[in-house]
Amino acid sequence: DTGVSQDPRHKITKRGQNVTFRCDPISEHNRLYWYRQTLGQGPEFLTYFQNEAQLEKSRLLSDRFSAERPKGSFSTLEIQRTEQGDSAMYLCASLQGSDGAIEQYFGPGTRLTVT
Amino acid sequence: GENVEQHPSTLSVQEGDSAVIKCTYSDSASNYFPWYKQELGKGPQLIIDIRSNVGEKKDQRIAVTLNKTAKHFSLHITETQPEDSAVYFCAAIPPPSTDKLIFGTGTRLQVFP
């Protein structure tokens, strides 16, 4: 257990519905990352936050995706009007962000299935 | 942009043997190379990493080597055990980003008792 938690662990939804995932990073970590992992592939970067500021977004993050980290602690990732292609594992990672630390620690992920 | 290739995609070894997984990267300015282990139903777990100013790093049975000239790095696991069975991913961080990990496609390692 890395100390990064994600909720829910599994989500099954019907196409067109909205879903929201939550990530709680390690408490002293000020950077938080979202990645997406499809079956048989490595994780792909989606976006990241430094405290509450969203600093980079991947082209993978379409307009249907939005991420927030309102108080610089937990983060949410919302997908609107889900499509079958959104089915994947959504991973959250955190990083201390000070003293030159660059190691990212991942949570267990939320597996999304869109039917 | 950065591209990380990983080989082999699957690797089967007998318990006690060594396992080697290799990765190549395209951006010569990349300077951080972690390795993650992912067990079924879990998130990736950082097992070892190396920065570009170091050629080799060891931690008990695992080691990573980096050849910046050839732009490749390798994971070495010695005295493999059944609990080493998992999917292993290499990654790199290409500048100017200091955060965005670019992952390889993974290697499924099976260690047979």
Side-chain angles (χ1 to χ4, degrees):
Chain A
D1 183 5
T2 61
V4 179
S5 62
Q6 292 187 246
D7 183 70
R9 294 292 307 278
H10 304 273
K11 179 70 177 180
I12 300 174
T13 191
K14 292 185 178 180
R15 188 175 52 189
Q17 297 295 304
N18 299 345
V19 293
T20 301
F21 311 139
R22 176 179 170 126
C23 171
D24 287 88
I26 296 170
S27 60
E28 66 268 23
H29 286 191
N30 56 31
R31 294 190 191 176
L32 186 148
Y33 305 79
W34 286 99
Y35 291 81
R36 182 174 71 184
Q37 185 178 26
T38 54
L39 208 59
Q41 300 296 316
E44 296 173 291
F45 171 84
L46 293 178
T47 189
Y48 93 93
F49 293 84
Q50 168 97 8
N51 299 312
E52 64 274 10
Q54 188 172 17
L55 296 186
E56 186 174 350
K57 293 194 290 187
S58 162
R59 287 174 295 176
L60 293 174
L61 215 65
S62 75
D63 291 345
R64 297 184 298 105
F65 288 70
S66 63
E68 293 182 342
R69 195 183 183 200
K71 297 182 180 179
S73 55
F74 72 91
S75 175
T76 58
L77 177 68
E78 181 183 17
I79 309 175
Q80 296 182 327
R81 305 180 304 281
T82 52
E83 302 172 357
Q84 287 188 319
D86 297 330
S87 296
M89 174 81 88
Y90 290 84
L91 293 161
C92 174
S94 72
L95 180 158
Q96 186 178 35
S98 64
D99 297 328
I102 55 175
E103 298 84 0
Q104 294 185 27
Y105 296 93
F106 282 81
T110 294
R111 180 165 296 284
L112 173 66
T113 302
V114 181
T115 62
Chain B
E2 174 68 284
N3 183 47
V4 178
E5 294 189 355
Q6 184 171 347
H7 300 280
S9 57
T10 60
L11 180 58
S12 296
V13 299
Q14 204 73 30
E15 182 178 1
D17 288 349
S18 295
V20 181
I21 303 170
K22 298 181 179 180
C23 288
T24 59
Y25 59 98
S26 58
D27 190 331
S28 58
S30 293
N31 55 21
Y32 174 66
F33 308 94
W35 284 90
Y36 285 85
K37 174 184 180 183
Q38 188 172 27
E39 297 174 324
L40 197 62
K42 297 185 178 181
Q45 175 193 1
L46 178 67
I47 56 172
I48 196 167
D49 56 8
I50 193 167
R51 303 196 188 199
S52 59
N53 58 348
V54 175
E56 183 176 4
K57 184 177 178 181
K58 288 184 180 179
D59 183 3
Q60 299 183 338
R61 296 187 297 109
I62 59 173
V64 55
T65 58
L66 172 63
N67 183 327
K68 288 210 71 180
T69 303
K71 292 188 288 185
H72 69 70
F73 56 112
S74 300
L75 177 71
H76 304 253
I77 306 174
T78 58
E79 301 172 22
T80 53
Q81 301 168 1
E83 51 265 38
D84 294 329
S85 298
V87 179
Y88 290 81
F89 291 97
C90 62
I93 293 182
S97 174
T98 57
D99 298 85
K100 181 169 61 179
L101 284 169
I102 305 298
F103 282 86
T105 50
T107 296
R108 180 171 298 280
L109 173 64
Q110 288 185 299
V111 180
F112 293 99

